[in-house]
Amino acid sequence: MKKYLILLLVHVLLVFPAVAGVYEDILHAAEQNETDKVIDLLRRGMDVNTTDAQGNTLLMIAARENNLELARFLLDNRANPNRRNRYGDTALMLATLRGHEAVAKLLLDRKADPNTPGWTALHYAAFENRPRIAALLLAAGAQVNAVAPNGSTALMLAAKRGHLEMVRLLVGAGAELNEIDSQEGTALDMARKANHTEIVEFLQRAGAR
């Protein structure tokens, strides 16, 4: 029995560095957009939902790096589109944050959830002024009046940042004009404080108080 345990320990010590090396290789390849290498390692048995130290899956990395080919392969092979990293971000949120429209569309087509608890992809789209991605999110059922952990709606973020096109899109999608943030007031208040005159005038015409 003792001899068996010793042999088992030796085997583990020999195999572990090789496994760790492959793990590092696949993450590095994904980050460098080395799609063929990632696919090869997956076909050799690596988990399609492999994550890095921050909880980013291969799909999240592909979304962040705008690697549409790899994202499609991962989804075709049952990668989970709704996994969240340690910061609460999904692949869809990362694609939105970076403005990668084609990847965001692919993820939505593959049933990525636009309505994650807390921050959502629509909040990111409003903050970064990604109206084309915001339109995709809304068409996929994104909740236009979702409130972020800091109390902001997408409309508030867009108004505060001065994104007129985004404000128009959100209002057209039924954004609540008079939602109040306890610290900064309404979207109209925020636009006024930031001196975004066109947005102030638009919101007033739309019925904001």
Side-chain angles (χ1 to χ4, degrees):
M1 184 65 176
K2 185 176 180 180
K3 182 178 180 181
Y4 171 78
L5 290 175
I6 292 172
L7 290 173
L8 180 61
L9 178 61
V10 169
H11 175 74
V12 169
L13 291 173
L14 289 173
V15 170
F16 180 76
V19 172
V22 174
Y23 167 80
E24 292 171 357
D25 285 349
I26 197 168
L27 291 172
H28 179 75
E31 290 166 357
Q32 298 300 314
N33 282 330
E34 296 175 355
T35 303
D36 290 344
K37 185 172 182 179
V38 175
I39 291 173
D40 179 61
L41 290 170
L42 288 170
R43 285 174 172 162
R44 293 186 188 188
M46 289 295 291
D47 184 0
V48 72
N49 290 308
T50 294
T51 62
D52 65 14
Q54 287 74 47
N56 294 303
T57 63
L58 295 173
L59 182 59
M60 291 178 198
I61 295 170
R64 186 186 69 202
E65 302 302 325
N66 200 26
N67 191 334
L68 183 63
E69 180 187 359
L70 179 56
R72 182 176 288 112
F73 178 87
L74 293 167
L75 289 165
D76 286 345
N77 286 274
R78 300 187 179 182
N80 184 347
N82 295 314
R83 288 277 291 269
R84 305 183 77 170
N85 63 20
R86 63 185 297 182
Y87 308 107
D89 293 330
T90 63
L92 178 60
M93 293 168 75
L94 293 173
T96 300
L97 191 65
R98 295 291 184 94
H100 302 323
E101 182 182 346
V103 176
K105 184 178 186 306
L106 172 67
L107 288 163
L108 288 168
D109 289 345
R110 300 299 185 88
K111 308 306 179 185
D113 185 3
N115 295 311
T116 50
W119 290 97
T120 69
L122 188 61
H123 289 128
Y124 284 10
F127 187 86
E128 293 291 346
N129 198 27
R130 314 287 191 201
R132 291 171 62 91
I133 296 179
L136 293 173
L137 293 167
L138 290 165
Q143 296 172 1
V144 69
N145 292 311
V147 178
N150 71 347
S152 294
T153 63
L155 181 60
M156 291 175 188
L157 294 169
K160 185 176 181 178
R161 300 270 291 176
H163 303 321
L164 179 58
E165 183 182 358
M166 180 66 70
V167 168
R168 286 174 173 157
L169 174 68
L170 294 168
V171 171
E176 171 55 55
L177 297 173
N178 298 307
E179 181 81 28
I180 297 176
D181 175 277
S182 61
Q183 300 297 317
E184 298 189 74
T186 65
L188 179 59
D189 294 330
M190 295 178 190
R192 279 179 176 147
K193 290 174 187 175
N195 295 315
H196 298 312
T197 305
E198 286 186 284
I199 292 177
V200 169
E201 292 173 351
F202 174 81
L203 290 173
Q204 287 175 327
R205 288 196 302 271
R209 300 187 301 273

